[in-house]
Amino acid sequence: MKISVIGTGYVGLIQSVGLSEFGYNVVGIDIDESKIKQLNRGECPLYEEGVEELLNKHVGKNLRFTTSYDEIKDSDVIFLCVGTPQDEEGNADLRFIYSATESIRKKLDGNYKVIVIKSTVPIGTNRKIKEMLKDCNVDVVSNPEFLREGLALNDFLNPDRIVLGFENLNNPRPIEIMKEAYSYFSDKNVPFIITDWESSELIKYAANSFLATKISFINELSKLADVVGGDIKTISRAMGFDERIGNKFLNAGIGYGGSCFPKDVKALIKQFENNNIEPKLIRATDEVNEEQIYWFLNKIKKYYNNLNGKTFAILGLAFKPNTDDLRESRGIKLIELLLEEGAIVKCFDYVEKARENTINRYKFDKSKAFYGYNLYLFEDIYKTVENVDGIIITTEYSNLNEEDWNKIGNLVRNKVVFDGRNILDKNKIKNLGFKYFGVGRN
Ligand code: UGA
């Protein structure tokens, strides 16, 4: 089977290397020429465990990359994996989806092909794409992705389910082709959900918004625990033992970030609004998430009275551990709020590329690691905490517990920790003489 994958971002690149690992002939297509050259050299443009190894294993053999849409002519299946960012009003911006569809349309030569939409798209988009291709000999299939950053290759190879949405469930041709393309998964007994376009599109938004709602639920509860007492970590642990609730995505913190949850929750709200239905619960999920960081900031402000001139160590720049991705990162948001208050911020992340991305974002002078006003970046956690008035944890790095907190206690000016991810062993920290403030956990 010959396959082409349009888009070499997160989803497209994992799809390309994953399918080439299954033995297919794969061509990755992207309009970004420098990225294509980089990929053909075997260099991975993103920070994701295992991807560069697979890229090097297959590139130049059954995997190659090009900027030319001509290549789709030889493909049996074409996966569309371009980005669907958020537009100014919160809708999913479908510009790239439609321009890629148009580029495909121009190259179709009458031979039958299956076009698979992997990008996260609002309900009705697969139907629109089919409409754009109505004169072409194609079937359009919806196949949302469920890859977590940092674990993307693992999630690709070990999915919880494969969701496939079709125009007509009585038409066996595209169903058989998709089953063949994904036969690796049926051999591993992964459940296949074969459904219509709309259900498939909605499944993706539903899954992400539900997980986001779990997080916002526990974050809302953490505010009450902050005021009335109680430890939210113990509360969510106890809740999680009930199998109907489950313990995953019940960790209180300073809110969810990343390129998916914030965008998908907002896009789902828009889809309700566009259909004149009030999305009460999902809107609340979004609002709780937006407010959570201010609740945390107020806690810091209350402790110091005035943040002007105070120095803080921010531990965590990426939106979650083991990624270099700063998109919608709560750590970055908090840095900016602290700078606005006149604080001096010394920041750190364990992931080198996350630090590099921070340098690029703020145009640091590398030699001084200094940004315009009051922001400094460090490669070493102990240098970061030197002479600070407080330590603030913004990304859930569990290895923070393995650091030498005795040494940290001797380096700081003031032994205070604001644990925005409830990641530290609070009794150990308190026993070392630190004041500890968690989220719903003091
Ligand atoms: C998310 C979903 O988990 C994937 O299933 C989905 O495929 C992907 O979006 C997507 O739509 O492409 P991802 O954005 O990589 O994956 O990140 P998550 O691991 O889900 O974490 C998102 C945010 O929630 C992070 O900022 C994390 O710190 C926060 N979080 C997570 C919490 O605050 N509490 C928790 O209990 C769990």
Side-chain angles (χ1 to χ4, degrees):
M1 181 175 278
K2 286 186 177 163
I3 288 172
S4 45
V5 179
I6 317 281
T8 58
Y10 235 91
V11 178
L13 188 54
I14 307 289
Q15 188 76 9
S16 302
V17 297
L19 291 172
S20 56
E21 178 69 1
F22 296 166
Y24 300 123
N25 270 310
V26 181
V27 183
I29 302 174
D30 201 294
I31 49 173
D32 182 339
E33 230 167 273
S34 68
K35 204 166 168 195
I36 291 299
K37 281 188 187 148
Q38 193 184 1
L39 287 164
N40 278 326
R41 287 196 300 269
E43 293 164 18
C44 184
L46 44 92
Y47 181 88
E48 191 65 51
E49 207 184 314
V51 176
E52 190 153 277
E53 283 83 344
L54 277 199
L55 179 65
N56 276 295
K57 185 170 163 195
H58 296 289
V59 79
K61 294 167 196 143
N62 61 332
L63 173 64
R64 63 205 166 79
F65 295 92
T66 174
T67 53
S68 166
Y69 272 81
D70 282 333
E71 301 284 344
I72 62 156
K73 287 183 187 153
D74 293 331
S75 301
D76 306 295
V77 181
I78 302 165
F79 285 92
L80 241 173
C81 305
V82 296
T84 51
Q86 192 178 304
D87 75 9
E88 279 168 11
E89 283 162 15
N91 294 296
D93 181 346
L94 299 176
R95 243 178 323 155
F96 303 121
I97 285 277
Y98 292 142
S99 63
T101 304
E102 187 51 27
S103 303
I104 294 172
R105 195 190 60 78
K106 283 185 190 148
K107 300 290 175 184
L108 290 172
D109 55 8
N111 288 322
Y112 177 76
K113 306 209 181 294
V114 175
I115 299 187
V116 188
I117 313 302
K118 279 210 82 71
S119 310
T120 300
V121 290
I123 293 83
T125 308
N126 279 267
R127 203 167 285 283
K128 280 190 199 141
I129 291 170
K130 181 63 201 279
E131 180 60 26
M132 282 174 78
L133 301 173
K134 63 175 183 293
D135 300 326
C136 310
N137 186 15
V138 299
D139 273 304
V140 174
V141 179
S142 161
N143 171 218
E145 59 84 18
F146 302 97
L147 310 174
R148 287 165 298 176
E149 282 189 31
L151 294 165
L153 194 59
N154 172 70
D155 287 352
F156 177 86
L157 294 169
N158 305 289
D160 292 331
R161 73 305 213 182
I162 300 280
V163 176
L164 296 168
F166 297 91
E167 180 179 20
N168 174 4
L169 294 172
N170 293 321
N171 172 12
R173 196 172 182 190
I175 301 180
E176 290 315 316
I177 290 177
M178 288 312 293
K179 281 189 176 163
E180 189 194 332
Y182 284 153
S183 56
Y184 172 88
F185 300 121
S186 39
D187 292 348
K188 289 181 87 182
N189 292 324
V190 174
F192 277 58
I193 316 292
I194 308 281
T195 184
D196 54 86
W197 280 332
E198 284 74 17
S199 304
S200 173
E201 291 165 333
L202 197 43
I203 285 166
K204 170 64 196 243
Y205 283 104
N208 272 4
S209 299
F210 187 77
L211 292 170
T213 300
K214 275 187 99 175
I215 299 171
S216 278
F217 177 86
I218 204 72
N219 281 344
E220 178 154 83
L221 210 66
S222 76
K223 293 184 186 171
L224 189 60
D226 264 340
V227 176
V228 300
D231 184 326
I232 201 73
K233 231 177 152 162
T234 309
I235 297 165
S236 56
R237 184 161 169 265
M239 286 170 69
F241 279 115
D242 183 331
E243 282 179 8
R244 294 168 304 173
I245 297 173
N247 60 6
K248 305 224 169 84
F249 282 70
L250 264 191
N251 297 319
I254 49 174
Y256 55 79
S259 65
C260 305
F261 283 0
K263 166 175 84 84
D264 291 352
V265 167
K266 286 186 168 66
L268 187 57
I269 291 172
K270 275 284 160 198
Q271 291 174 69
F272 272 80
E273 286 176 353
N274 295 342
N275 289 287
N276 300 318
I277 309 168
E278 174 56 22
K280 288 187 185 166
L281 184 58
I282 302 159
R283 197 191 295 289
T285 295
D286 184 45
E287 285 172 2
V288 169
N289 196 57
E290 294 289 338
E291 284 164 18
Q292 189 69 2
I293 200 144
Y294 293 97
W295 178 269
F296 189 66
L297 179 67
N298 279 339
K299 202 179 282 191
I300 304 172
K301 276 170 133 173
K302 206 169 147 195
Y303 182 78
Y304 295 95
N305 287 323
N306 186 356
L307 300 183
N308 195 15
K310 293 276 181 304
T311 306
F312 294 100
I314 287 274
L315 307 183
L317 297 164
F319 84 95
K320 68 174 195 179
N322 301 325
T323 161
D324 63 345
D325 198 340
L326 306 184
R327 284 177 289 177
E328 297 285 327
S329 154
R330 301 291 87 189
I332 293 287
K333 172 91 184 164
L334 193 60
I335 287 177
E336 292 174 1
L337 291 173
L338 289 168
L339 289 174
E340 273 174 30
E341 296 281 337
I344 298 153
V345 178
K346 300 172 78 181
C347 63
F348 168 81
D349 197 289
Y350 285 105
V351 174
E352 189 186 341
K353 271 192 110 181
R355 297 197 302 266
E356 266 173 32
N357 289 343
T358 308
I359 289 175
N360 293 335
R361 180 186 172 99
Y362 292 112
K363 311 279 180 267
F364 278 100
D365 173 342
K366 263 198 177 179
S367 58
K368 287 197 217 143
F370 169 65
Y371 149 74
Y373 318 97
N374 286 323
L375 179 59
Y376 301 81
L377 179 99
F378 293 85
E379 288 172 14
D380 177 274
I381 189 166
Y382 297 102
K383 287 241 168 1
T384 318
V385 300
E386 242 170 36
N387 292 325
V388 297
D389 294 296
I391 294 174
I392 306 175
I393 297 172
T394 41
T395 307
E396 57 271 44
Y397 283 112
S398 53
N399 38 333
L400 280 168
N401 280 302
E402 281 129 47
E403 299 295 352
D404 183 346
W405 282 88
N406 232 327
K407 182 173 167 185
I408 292 176
N410 291 328
L411 290 168
V412 295
R413 194 181 295 151
N414 195 0
K415 288 169 93 169
V416 190
V417 180
F418 295 90
D419 184 356
R421 294 295 177 183
N422 289 348
I423 202 74
L424 293 183
D425 177 340
K426 78 170 176 189
N427 293 328
K428 184 179 137 191
I429 294 292
K430 283 182 174 180
N431 288 339
L432 289 171
F434 279 90
K435 273 207 169 1
Y436 177 88
F437 297 95
V439 177
R441 180 180 187 240
N442 296 319

